[in-house]
């Protein structure tokens, strides 16, 4: 059963449309302050204003704790509530859970970045661009808050109690992926696992790790979102330095006898990548790539990935994004279509 504290949190999250309970109000206050004062992060300990960085991290920790408690409340609510009450209230709690997954990861990302560009909000939104209540106020605080289509999706027909955690890529993640690829990919056969990891994320891990996010569930990593702020420079660097190095490390004949997935990845590395038309790069200067494991059936978690990545790119001045998908890759086409 839900505890008294969890019931109190549920009430405070949805107290009145424009009047929130104490915990919901703390969420908003922390988020506003953290976004406005993110430049104080990363100050060396010897600097006169080092206390500002300490204060920022302390408030970030409090904000993330509230986010975690809300996500856990969603999971517990789905598991322990009567069906009639669940289907009445779940859409609201599911929306808040998804929003806080993205907001918490965005704050974590702010804590390891030095933002020099202003966080752009794109002007005042039309009245229908945002919903009311706590959800709408949190949406307005994200740099992509006016993109209303990104925030609306009907809740799942069958609510899931699965817990998710969304965070920026850590240096240790990059070391593990590279070490695993090198260990499994050595010798005369190229294993499918490192080949696929290299194909999906290799260039982003090497050239743009600061815009990479990881989605985790109770079974471990289950999704990723990667981006490049300046796609034109990223693609030039990929083609001139990263791809030649990969081709030298994994020659074409290494795929003899390898699994089909490994052979496919080798062909991908050794094929000439399609050129992106200059008008696309001018209008949509940033490149994004997202994916989740088949076990992630909750589209809300995938949308949180997209919102977090787009917020990070927008915070540094990006005006638009594009992704590259093969016309024959029905799985990816379906995935991006569900994201809108």
């Amino acid at each position: 059963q839900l505890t008294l504290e969890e019931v109190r949190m549920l009430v405070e999250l949805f107290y009145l449309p424009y009047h929130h309970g104490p915990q919901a109000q703390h969420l908003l206050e922390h988020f506003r302050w953290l976004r406005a004062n993110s430049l104080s992060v990363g100050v060396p300990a010897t600097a006169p204003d080092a206390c500002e960085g300490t204060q920022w991290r302390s408030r970030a920790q409090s904000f993330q704790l509230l986010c975690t408690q809300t996500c856990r409340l969603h999971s517990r609510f789905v598991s322990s509530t009567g069906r009639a009450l669940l289907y009445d209230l779940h859409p609201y709690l599911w929306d808040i859970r998804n929003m806080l997954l993205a907001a918490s990861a965005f704050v974590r990302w702010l804590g390891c970045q030095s933002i020099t560009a202003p966080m752009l909000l794109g002007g005042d939104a039309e009245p229908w661009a945002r919903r009311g209540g706590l959800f709408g106020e949190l949406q307005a605080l994200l740099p992509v808050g006016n993109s209303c289509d990104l925030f609306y999706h009907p809740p799942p027909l069958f609510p899931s109690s699965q817990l998710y955690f969304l965070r920026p890529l850590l240096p240790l993640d990059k070391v593990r992926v590279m070490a695993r690829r090198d260990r499994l990919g050595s010798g005369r056969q190229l294993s499918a696992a490192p080949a696929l990891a290299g194909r999906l994320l290799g260039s982003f891990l090497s050239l743009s790790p600061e815009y990479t996010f990881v989605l985790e569930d109770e079974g471990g990593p289950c999704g990723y979102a990667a981006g490049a702020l300046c796609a034109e420079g990223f693609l030039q660097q990929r083609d001139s330095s990263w791809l030649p190095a990969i081709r030298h490390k994994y020659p074409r004949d290494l795929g003899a006898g390898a699994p089909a997935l490994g052979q496919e990845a080798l062909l991908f590395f050794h094929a000439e990548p399609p050129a992106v038309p200059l008008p696309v790069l001018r209008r949509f200067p940033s490149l994004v790539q997202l994916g989740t494991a088949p076990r992630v059936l909750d589209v809300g978690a995938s949308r949180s990935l997209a919102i977090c990545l787009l917020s990070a790119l927008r915070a540094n001045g990006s005006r638009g994004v594009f992704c590259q998908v093969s016309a024959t890759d029905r799985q990816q086409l379906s995935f991006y279509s569900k994201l809108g």
Side-chain angles (χ1 to χ4, degrees), residues 23 41 60 71 90 103 123 129 155 162 176 219 221 234 266 272 282 285 291 328:
Q23 294 195 65
V41 185
C71 292
H90 178 258
Q162 177 66 63
R176 284 173 177 167
F234 173 84
L266 268 182
E272 286 301 319
R282 290 290 180 262
T328 59

Side-chain angles (χ1 to χ4, degrees), residues 25 77 98 123 131 140 147 183 208 221 229 233 242 249 268 286 307 330:
Q25 194 61 43
F77 185 77
N98 297 337
R131 290 151 55 184
S147 306
R183 183 173 69 252
S208 186
L229 181 64
W242 184 79
K249 191 168 189 175
F268 173 82
S286 302
I307 290 169
R330 294 183 179 180

Side-chain angles (χ1 to χ4, degrees), residues 109-263:
W109 177 81
L110 285 177
C112 53
Q113 302 297 319
S114 297
I115 304 297
T116 55
M119 290 190 194
L120 306 174
L121 294 178
D124 294 331
E126 297 292 344
W128 56 83
R130 297 191 194 121
R131 290 151 55 184
L134 181 62
F135 182 93
E137 293 197 47
L138 288 168
Q139 176 187 339
L141 290 171
L142 285 168
V144 287
N146 291 346
S147 306
C148 55
D149 290 346
L150 191 63
F151 292 89
Y152 175 75
H153 194 84
L157 292 176
F158 303 101
S160 168
S161 62
Q162 177 66 63
L163 280 168
Y164 290 100
F165 178 61
L166 179 55
R167 60 174 175 81
L169 182 83
L170 301 174
L172 187 58
D173 296 320
K174 182 178 176 181
V175 171
R176 284 173 177 167
V177 170
M178 296 302 187
R180 187 166 181 241
R181 186 186 69 188
D182 292 342
R183 183 173 69 252
L184 296 179
S186 59
R188 294 300 300 170
Q189 285 199 354
L190 186 69
S191 171
L196 184 61
R199 173 179 172 178
L200 291 177
L201 279 173
S203 56
F204 291 100
L205 290 176
S206 299
L207 305 177
S208 186
E210 65 273 19
Y211 293 103
T212 305
F213 295 87
V214 179
L215 179 70
E216 295 179 328
D217 61 12
E218 293 165 351
C222 58
Y224 74 93
L229 181 64
C230 177
E232 189 172 6
F234 173 84
L235 295 174
Q236 288 175 355
Q237 197 172 358
R238 181 198 67 181
D239 297 344
S240 63
S241 59
W242 184 79
L243 267 179
I246 286 292
R247 289 167 179 167
H248 177 74
K249 191 168 189 175
Y250 301 108
R252 192 185 296 268
D253 61 357
L254 191 64
L261 195 57
Q263 294 179 12

Side-chain angles (χ1 to χ4, degrees), residues 290-296 325-338:
L290 299 94
T292 58
R295 68 178 186 267
V296 180
V325 187
S326 169
T328 59
D329 192 339
R330 294 183 179 180
Q331 184 177 357
Q332 279 293 90
L333 288 171
S334 172
F335 175 76
Y336 286 117
S337 298
K338 287 178 180 177

